[in-house]
Each structure stands twice: as C-alpha cells, then as structure tokens.
Amino acid sequence: MTTAAPPTAASVGRAFLDRVAATPDREAFRYPAGSGWVSLSWAQTAERVKAMAAGLLALGLASEDRVAIACSTRVEWVLSDLAVLCAGGAVTTVYPSTSADDVAFIVSDSGSTIVIAEDEVQVAKLRAGRDQLGPVRKVVVVDGLPSAQDGDWVISLSDLEALGEAHLAARASAFDDAVAAVGPDNLATLIYTSGTTGRPKGVQLTHANWTYEGAAVDSVGILSVDDLQYLWLPLSHSFGKVLLAAQTQIGFATAIDGRIDMIVENLGVIQPTFMAGVPRIFEKVYGRVVSTTEAEGGPKLKIFTWAFVVGTKVSRLRAAGQEPSVLLKAEYGLADRLVFSKIKARMGGRIRFFCSGSAALAPAIAE
C-alpha cells in the first residue's frame, strides 16, 4: 500500500513562509559560533531571508536570473538559497573545492549574474577568471570584508542586507510580491555534475521538484516537528537539498556544520535524533569503534564480538519483520547495556536512525 504525498506549496518560498507562519517561535537552525552554538527561530530566519532577498531585488535580480552560491555547508548557504528562491531567482550550486577554471565555466555556462562567495578564497577564484564570467555584475562575500582592489564589484553580506532593508523601506511589498510571482514550474536550482566525463553539465530543477520531495518525505511519517537533524552534507548536491526541503515541510530543527572532522564531536554536543550521510562516514565510524576495541583486546574484545553476533541476529530478524525469541531478546538487552549503549552515547544518545544515501551501504555496516 502506498501513501499519497500531501499537497505541495506553489514554490519553495511559499512553503518557507507557510512554515514560518505555522511555527514562528520554534527553533529552525542551530550553527556554530565562537566556542558555542547559536539558534535561529523560524521567524528570525525569515527576517534575514527577507532582507537578503530584497537586497538581491535591489541589485536587479529578475525572474529565474541565476545566482551562484560558492560556499561550504553552513547556515549562510541556507539563508542565501532561500533568499534567491524567494526573490524569484534560481540558484547555481558551486562546490567550494571546485577549481578556478571550472568555477569560471559553471558561472558563465549558467548565466549567473550574482555570485555569493564564502570567503576570499572563493572570491580569488572569481577574480582570476573575471574575464570569463560572463554577465556577473556583483559578488557578495559572506566572511570578511571586500578588497579595495575589487571596487564595488564585491560587497559584504551585511551590505546586501542593508540594501534590502532600504529597498523594503521604499517598497514594503517587494518581498511578498516576488514570492507570489513564483510558480511550481519556475526554475529553482542548477546543480552541476562533477565533470568526470567532460565539462560539468547543469541539471535543472524546478520549485515543484523540491516541494514534492519535502511532501514525499513527510508522507512516510518517520519525522516530526520535534526531531533534530544534524546536517553536514554538501548543499551543492541534491541529497543535502532534499533534507532542507523536508525540514521546511515538516518543521524540525537542523543543526548545521559542514566540517567533516567535527562530525563525531558534534554528535555528542548536539544530540540529534537523526543524521543523513554517505557510506564512507558510517564506514569510518564503524572502523573506529572496531579498531579501538581490538586494540584494547582481552575481555572487552570478547564481549564486543559476542554483542555484535547477538546484535546481527536481532537486526536480521527485525529486517525480516520478525521479533527475537525471549532468550535472544534478553541477550540483546545485556549486549545493549554492555556495548551498544556506549556507542549510542558517543552519537549523542538520542539517535533514532541514520540515513545513508548517494551510494550503496555495505549490509554489514547497516546491520
């Protein structure tokens, strides 16, 4: 039996504003700042998105005009993406490690007129290939201040928001009018391939693509507004963007930090209820757990090995829709107390499930 996905909003911007209206004071995003974490409610997120979107409109952004985002996974990527889509533009995603040559090609090939760049490293790539960028008229830098050598070609993110606030002071309905003008078939995103078979190629995705993904995930019924996601996946790829679409639809909070070397530490601090990743991340976690226990040896290794034998039996029974016997259930309870609970604690202690995608996960790792 299949479950029909719920109705979808007319656009990503409309879905976002519907979410803000439904749960304005609930936490939307959590992100690292200094030695701690800062939270944004849905209403606070909307304030920033509105200012940024209006800033883009002040810069002359028109319907389906491309805005490239060259940035790692961080809250500003999400805010920029929402701002572009609310303003009626389309996002061109640029992976932050992309070479200067490919950045110039992607920006030019997509026809991007504005680029939101994370820092001086990304701005330098654009500067180096400026004569190949085509119609780029403005670069917005997230971290740091614009360099004098770039003149007014580069502005800061705070400059963009200030432009937006001035634009809204002059025309209060500009943001709402822009959101209302976007429909499900309007272009939302251009995601470029890795270029392993020649030059990167842009995949066109509409607003309906993202709103349907969000509704489809919601229809499965495994996530609720009370969940907390830990998001580190690249937002230049579709997997990460699907997770954002699901968040907008359902309303759960997301802790966002793209630093891969911080994943295990962050899990313990954030204590999320779910996290999506690619197979290599789960392989690394499994490998670390196994190698650490093997290095200790002795009774601990024997208990560990026994626990995983018991756990595998239970996993396979449940995957087949069956429940373990009374004896096996008792053994599993003991294995959980001695071994599995400690591993769960390292993952924050609240994980309900992990989601693995983009490639096949080895059955043994899944179990």
Side-chain angles (χ1 to χ4, degrees), residues 150-191:
D150 295 316
D152 63 358
W153 188 57
V154 180
I155 63 173
S156 69
L157 186 59
S158 58
D159 290 336
L160 178 69
E161 294 184 66
L163 277 174
E165 289 166 0
H167 189 67
L168 290 169
R171 186 185 165 195
S173 67
F175 176 79
D176 292 331
D177 292 345
V179 173
V182 182
D185 295 328
N186 280 109
L187 180 66
T189 315
L190 279 169
I191 294 181

Short mmCIF file of all heavy atoms in Angstrom, two decimals, residues 150-191:
data_model
loop_
_atom_site.label_atom_id
_atom_site.label_comp_id
_atom_site.label_asym_id
_atom_site.label_seq_id
_atom_site.Cartn_x
_atom_site.Cartn_y
_atom_site.Cartn_z
N ASP A 150 38.84 45.32 -5.71
CA ASP A 150 37.64 44.90 -6.44
C ASP A 150 36.62 46.03 -6.62
O ASP A 150 35.62 45.84 -7.31
CB ASP A 150 36.98 43.71 -5.73
CG ASP A 150 37.86 42.48 -5.73
OD1 ASP A 150 38.46 42.18 -6.78
OD2 ASP A 150 37.97 41.83 -4.68
N GLY A 151 36.86 47.16 -5.98
CA GLY A 151 35.92 48.27 -6.10
C GLY A 151 34.55 47.88 -5.59
O GLY A 151 34.42 47.17 -4.59
N ASP A 152 33.50 48.30 -6.29
CA ASP A 152 32.14 47.95 -5.86
C ASP A 152 31.64 46.65 -6.48
O ASP A 152 30.47 46.31 -6.37
CB ASP A 152 31.17 49.09 -6.17
CG ASP A 152 31.04 49.37 -7.67
OD1 ASP A 152 31.75 48.71 -8.46
OD2 ASP A 152 30.23 50.25 -8.04
N TRP A 153 32.54 45.91 -7.15
CA TRP A 153 32.17 44.62 -7.73
C TRP A 153 31.88 43.60 -6.64
O TRP A 153 31.06 42.70 -6.81
CB TRP A 153 33.29 44.11 -8.65
CG TRP A 153 32.94 42.88 -9.46
CD1 TRP A 153 31.90 42.75 -10.32
CD2 TRP A 153 33.65 41.64 -9.48
NE1 TRP A 153 31.91 41.50 -10.89
CE2 TRP A 153 32.98 40.80 -10.40
CE3 TRP A 153 34.79 41.17 -8.84
CZ2 TRP A 153 33.41 39.50 -10.67
CZ3 TRP A 153 35.22 39.89 -9.11
CH2 TRP A 153 34.54 39.05 -10.03
N VAL A 154 32.55 43.75 -5.50
CA VAL A 154 32.36 42.85 -4.35
C VAL A 154 31.78 43.63 -3.18
O VAL A 154 32.30 44.70 -2.85
CB VAL A 154 33.68 42.18 -3.93
CG1 VAL A 154 33.46 41.25 -2.75
CG2 VAL A 154 34.31 41.42 -5.10
N ILE A 155 30.71 43.10 -2.59
CA ILE A 155 30.14 43.69 -1.38
C ILE A 155 30.02 42.60 -0.31
O ILE A 155 30.11 41.41 -0.62
CB ILE A 155 28.75 44.32 -1.65
CG1 ILE A 155 27.74 43.24 -2.09
CG2 ILE A 155 28.85 45.43 -2.69
CD1 ILE A 155 26.31 43.75 -2.20
N SER A 156 29.82 43.01 0.93
CA SER A 156 29.68 42.04 2.01
C SER A 156 28.23 41.59 2.14
O SER A 156 27.31 42.22 1.60
CB SER A 156 30.15 42.65 3.33
OG SER A 156 29.24 43.67 3.74
N LEU A 157 28.02 40.51 2.90
CA LEU A 157 26.67 40.03 3.14
C LEU A 157 25.86 41.07 3.91
O LEU A 157 24.67 41.26 3.65
CB LEU A 157 26.72 38.70 3.91
CG LEU A 157 25.38 37.98 4.12
CD1 LEU A 157 24.71 37.66 2.79
CD2 LEU A 157 25.59 36.71 4.93
N SER A 158 26.51 41.75 4.84
CA SER A 158 25.80 42.80 5.60
C SER A 158 25.44 43.96 4.69
O SER A 158 24.39 44.60 4.87
CB SER A 158 26.65 43.28 6.78
OG SER A 158 27.90 43.78 6.34
N ASP A 159 26.27 44.25 3.69
CA ASP A 159 25.94 45.28 2.70
C ASP A 159 24.67 44.88 1.93
O ASP A 159 23.80 45.72 1.68
CB ASP A 159 27.08 45.46 1.69
CG ASP A 159 28.31 46.12 2.28
OD1 ASP A 159 28.17 46.82 3.29
OD2 ASP A 159 29.41 45.89 1.74
N LEU A 160 24.58 43.59 1.57
CA LEU A 160 23.42 43.11 0.83
C LEU A 160 22.15 43.27 1.68
O LEU A 160 21.11 43.71 1.17
CB LEU A 160 23.61 41.64 0.45
CG LEU A 160 22.43 40.99 -0.29
CD1 LEU A 160 22.30 41.58 -1.69
CD2 LEU A 160 22.59 39.48 -0.36
N GLU A 161 22.24 42.92 2.96
CA GLU A 161 21.08 43.03 3.83
C GLU A 161 20.68 44.49 4.03
O GLU A 161 19.49 44.82 4.10
CB GLU A 161 21.35 42.35 5.16
CG GLU A 161 21.52 40.83 5.03
CD GLU A 161 21.70 40.12 6.35
OE1 GLU A 161 20.75 40.11 7.15
OE2 GLU A 161 22.77 39.55 6.58
N ALA A 162 21.68 45.37 4.11
CA ALA A 162 21.37 46.81 4.23
C ALA A 162 20.67 47.32 2.98
O ALA A 162 19.72 48.12 3.07
CB ALA A 162 22.66 47.58 4.49
N LEU A 163 21.12 46.87 1.82
CA LEU A 163 20.44 47.23 0.57
C LEU A 163 18.99 46.77 0.61
O LEU A 163 18.07 47.48 0.17
CB LEU A 163 21.15 46.57 -0.62
CG LEU A 163 22.38 47.25 -1.22
CD1 LEU A 163 23.00 46.34 -2.28
CD2 LEU A 163 22.01 48.59 -1.83
N GLY A 164 18.79 45.56 1.12
CA GLY A 164 17.45 45.00 1.20
C GLY A 164 16.54 45.79 2.12
O GLY A 164 15.37 46.05 1.79
N GLU A 165 17.05 46.19 3.27
CA GLU A 165 16.25 46.96 4.21
C GLU A 165 15.85 48.30 3.61
O GLU A 165 14.71 48.76 3.78
CB GLU A 165 17.03 47.14 5.51
CG GLU A 165 17.15 45.83 6.30
CD GLU A 165 18.19 45.90 7.40
OE1 GLU A 165 18.83 46.97 7.56
OE2 GLU A 165 18.38 44.88 8.10
N ALA A 166 16.78 48.92 2.87
CA ALA A 166 16.46 50.19 2.21
C ALA A 166 15.42 49.98 1.11
O ALA A 166 14.52 50.82 0.92
CB ALA A 166 17.74 50.80 1.63
N HIS A 167 15.55 48.87 0.39
CA HIS A 167 14.61 48.57 -0.69
C HIS A 167 13.20 48.35 -0.13
O HIS A 167 12.21 48.83 -0.71
CB HIS A 167 15.08 47.32 -1.44
CG HIS A 167 14.32 47.02 -2.70
ND1 HIS A 167 14.36 47.84 -3.81
CD2 HIS A 167 13.48 45.99 -3.02
CE1 HIS A 167 13.60 47.33 -4.77
NE2 HIS A 167 13.05 46.21 -4.30
N LEU A 168 13.10 47.66 1.00
CA LEU A 168 11.81 47.41 1.62
C LEU A 168 11.21 48.68 2.23
O LEU A 168 9.98 48.83 2.28
CB LEU A 168 11.94 46.33 2.70
CG LEU A 168 12.22 44.91 2.18
CD1 LEU A 168 12.59 43.99 3.33
CD2 LEU A 168 11.01 44.36 1.42
N ALA A 169 12.08 49.58 2.69
CA ALA A 169 11.59 50.85 3.23
C ALA A 169 10.93 51.67 2.13
O ALA A 169 9.95 52.39 2.37
CB ALA A 169 12.74 51.64 3.84
N ALA A 170 11.46 51.53 0.90
CA ALA A 170 10.90 52.26 -0.23
C ALA A 170 9.71 51.56 -0.86
O ALA A 170 8.81 52.20 -1.42
CB ALA A 170 11.99 52.48 -1.29
N ARG A 171 9.70 50.21 -0.77
CA ARG A 171 8.62 49.44 -1.37
C ARG A 171 8.35 48.24 -0.46
O ARG A 171 8.93 47.16 -0.63
CB ARG A 171 9.02 48.99 -2.77
CG ARG A 171 7.89 48.30 -3.52
CD ARG A 171 8.37 47.78 -4.86
NE ARG A 171 7.42 46.83 -5.40
CZ ARG A 171 7.68 46.00 -6.42
NH1 ARG A 171 8.87 46.03 -6.99
NH2 ARG A 171 6.78 45.17 -6.86
N ALA A 172 7.46 48.42 0.47
CA ALA A 172 7.22 47.43 1.53
C ALA A 172 6.76 46.07 1.01
O ALA A 172 7.04 45.05 1.63
CB ALA A 172 6.20 47.98 2.51
N SER A 173 6.08 46.05 -0.12
CA SER A 173 5.52 44.79 -0.62
C SER A 173 6.47 44.03 -1.56
O SER A 173 6.09 42.98 -2.09
CB SER A 173 4.21 45.06 -1.36
OG SER A 173 4.46 45.80 -2.56
N ALA A 174 7.68 44.53 -1.75
CA ALA A 174 8.59 43.95 -2.74
C ALA A 174 8.85 42.47 -2.51
O ALA A 174 8.81 41.67 -3.46
CB ALA A 174 9.91 44.72 -2.75
N PHE A 175 9.09 42.09 -1.27
CA PHE A 175 9.39 40.69 -0.96
C PHE A 175 8.17 39.81 -1.21
O PHE A 175 8.25 38.78 -1.89
CB PHE A 175 9.85 40.57 0.48
CG PHE A 175 10.09 39.15 0.93
CD1 PHE A 175 11.26 38.48 0.59
CD2 PHE A 175 9.15 38.48 1.71
CE1 PHE A 175 11.48 37.17 1.00
CE2 PHE A 175 9.37 37.19 2.13
CZ PHE A 175 10.54 36.53 1.78
N ASP A 176 7.04 40.19 -0.66
CA ASP A 176 5.82 39.39 -0.82
C ASP A 176 5.41 39.28 -2.29
O ASP A 176 4.95 38.21 -2.73
CB ASP A 176 4.68 40.00 0.00
CG ASP A 176 4.91 39.89 1.50
OD1 ASP A 176 5.59 38.93 1.92
OD2 ASP A 176 4.43 40.76 2.24
N ASP A 177 5.57 40.37 -3.03
CA ASP A 177 5.23 40.35 -4.45
C ASP A 177 6.12 39.37 -5.21
O ASP A 177 5.66 38.66 -6.11
CB ASP A 177 5.39 41.75 -5.06
CG ASP A 177 4.35 42.73 -4.54
OD1 ASP A 177 3.35 42.28 -3.96
OD2 ASP A 177 4.55 43.96 -4.72
N ALA A 178 7.40 39.33 -4.84
CA ALA A 178 8.35 38.44 -5.51
C ALA A 178 8.00 36.98 -5.25
O ALA A 178 8.01 36.15 -6.16
CB ALA A 178 9.77 38.74 -5.05
N VAL A 179 7.67 36.66 -3.99
CA VAL A 179 7.30 35.28 -3.65
C VAL A 179 6.03 34.87 -4.39
O VAL A 179 5.94 33.76 -4.94
CB VAL A 179 7.10 35.12 -2.13
CG1 VAL A 179 6.56 33.72 -1.80
CG2 VAL A 179 8.40 35.35 -1.38
N ALA A 180 5.06 35.76 -4.45
CA ALA A 180 3.78 35.46 -5.09
C ALA A 180 3.92 35.22 -6.59
O ALA A 180 3.10 34.53 -7.20
CB ALA A 180 2.80 36.60 -4.83
N ALA A 181 4.97 35.80 -7.19
CA ALA A 181 5.15 35.69 -8.64
C ALA A 181 5.78 34.37 -9.08
O ALA A 181 5.85 34.07 -10.27
CB ALA A 181 6.01 36.86 -9.14
N VAL A 182 6.24 33.57 -8.13
CA VAL A 182 6.93 32.31 -8.46
C VAL A 182 5.94 31.15 -8.43
O VAL A 182 5.16 31.00 -7.50
CB VAL A 182 8.09 32.03 -7.46
CG1 VAL A 182 8.82 30.74 -7.85
CG2 VAL A 182 9.06 33.19 -7.44
N GLY A 183 6.00 30.31 -9.47
CA GLY A 183 5.12 29.15 -9.56
C GLY A 183 5.90 27.85 -9.53
O GLY A 183 7.13 27.84 -9.56
N PRO A 184 5.20 26.72 -9.48
CA PRO A 184 5.85 25.41 -9.36
C PRO A 184 6.78 25.06 -10.51
O PRO A 184 7.73 24.30 -10.33
CB PRO A 184 4.68 24.43 -9.27
CG PRO A 184 3.49 25.17 -9.79
CD PRO A 184 3.73 26.60 -9.46
N ASP A 185 6.51 25.60 -11.71
CA ASP A 185 7.33 25.25 -12.87
C ASP A 185 8.51 26.20 -13.09
O ASP A 185 9.29 26.01 -14.02
CB ASP A 185 6.47 25.21 -14.14
CG ASP A 185 5.44 24.10 -14.08
OD1 ASP A 185 5.73 23.06 -13.47
OD2 ASP A 185 4.34 24.28 -14.64
N ASN A 186 8.64 27.21 -12.24
CA ASN A 186 9.79 28.11 -12.36
C ASN A 186 11.08 27.40 -11.98
O ASN A 186 11.10 26.56 -11.07
CB ASN A 186 9.61 29.34 -11.47
CG ASN A 186 8.71 30.38 -12.08
OD1 ASN A 186 7.59 30.59 -11.61
ND2 ASN A 186 9.16 31.06 -13.11
N LEU A 187 12.16 27.74 -12.65
CA LEU A 187 13.47 27.15 -12.35
C LEU A 187 13.91 27.56 -10.95
O LEU A 187 13.83 28.73 -10.58
CB LEU A 187 14.50 27.62 -13.38
CG LEU A 187 15.93 27.08 -13.21
CD1 LEU A 187 15.95 25.57 -13.45
CD2 LEU A 187 16.88 27.79 -14.17
N ALA A 188 14.36 26.58 -10.17
CA ALA A 188 14.81 26.85 -8.81
C ALA A 188 16.32 26.63 -8.64
O ALA A 188 16.99 27.42 -7.98
CB ALA A 188 14.06 25.97 -7.81
N THR A 189 16.83 25.57 -9.24
CA THR A 189 18.21 25.17 -8.97
C THR A 189 18.88 24.60 -10.20
O THR A 189 18.26 23.86 -10.97
CB THR A 189 18.25 24.09 -7.86
OG1 THR A 189 17.39 24.47 -6.78
CG2 THR A 189 19.68 23.91 -7.33
N LEU A 190 20.15 24.94 -10.36
CA LEU A 190 21.02 24.30 -11.35
C LEU A 190 22.13 23.61 -10.58
O LEU A 190 22.96 24.26 -9.95
CB LEU A 190 21.62 25.34 -12.30
CG LEU A 190 20.73 25.81 -13.46
CD1 LEU A 190 21.39 27.03 -14.13
CD2 LEU A 190 20.54 24.71 -14.48
N ILE A 191 22.12 22.27 -10.60
CA ILE A 191 23.16 21.51 -9.93
C ILE A 191 24.08 20.92 -10.99
O ILE A 191 23.62 20.20 -11.89
CB ILE A 191 22.56 20.38 -9.06
CG1 ILE A 191 21.77 20.98 -7.90
CG2 ILE A 191 23.66 19.46 -8.53
CD1 ILE A 191 21.15 19.96 -6.97
#
